[in-house]
Amino acid sequence: MEGVTSQASRIIFLERRLSILFAGSWVTAGLVILTCLSVGWLPAKERIISAPIEFLTLCIVYPFFEEMIFRGFLLGWLKERFNNRYVLPTLSQANLLTSIIFAVVHILLKGGILSGLTFFPSLVLGHLRELGGSLTVCIVVHAIWNLALLMFLF
C-alpha cells in the first residue's frame, strides 16, 4: 500500500510541474508576442494562411517530424552521450543542447529573431519527453502550440 501512495504522490507532483511548465510557456509566448506587437515585428494581417495544405503542414507534419528528429532521436542520443547529466535539477544537458540546436535550425531555415524563441517551448517539450517518455505527448503539445500561434498571429 505504501508503494501505491508514493506513486500517486509522484504522479500528482509531476502533474503540478507539467501544469506550471505549460502555463509558463503560454505566459512567455504572450509576453513575447506583446513585445513584438509593440515594436512592429509581427507580420501584417495580409499574410493570413489561406491554403489548407499550409495549415496541415504547420500543425501536423512539422510537429511530427520535428519531434521525431529532436525529441525522438537527438535528445535520446545526447542523453546517452552526456550520461544523463543535469545542468539544473530539472534541466538535462541533453535537453539544453537539443533546444539550442532546435532554435538554431529554426533561425537558419526561417530567419528572424522570432524563430530563435523556439528555444523556450523546446525546453518544455524536452522536459515532457524526459518526464513521461512519450513522444506522442510531445507531438500533440507541439501541434497545439503551432495551432495556437497560427490562430493568434494570423
Side-chain angles (χ1 to χ4, degrees), residues 47-106:
R47 292 191 55 206
I48 294 174
I49 295 178
S50 58
I53 294 295
E54 291 180 54
F55 169 80
L56 291 173
T57 302
L58 290 169
C59 295
I60 296 172
V61 176
Y62 284 173
F64 177 79
F65 285 106
E66 286 179 353
E67 292 309 312
M68 293 295 283
I69 293 166
F70 289 98
R71 256 62 67 186
F73 168 73
L74 187 60
L75 182 63
W77 183 76
L78 288 172
K79 278 182 80 92
E80 288 177 15
R81 295 287 178 248
F82 291 131
N83 294 321
N84 207 17
R85 283 178 275 184
Y86 281 76
V87 177
L88 298 170
T90 58
L91 178 62
S92 70
Q93 289 178 341
N95 188 13
L96 180 61
L97 186 55
T98 299
S99 296
I100 291 169
I101 294 169
F102 187 76
V104 168
V105 166
H106 277 79

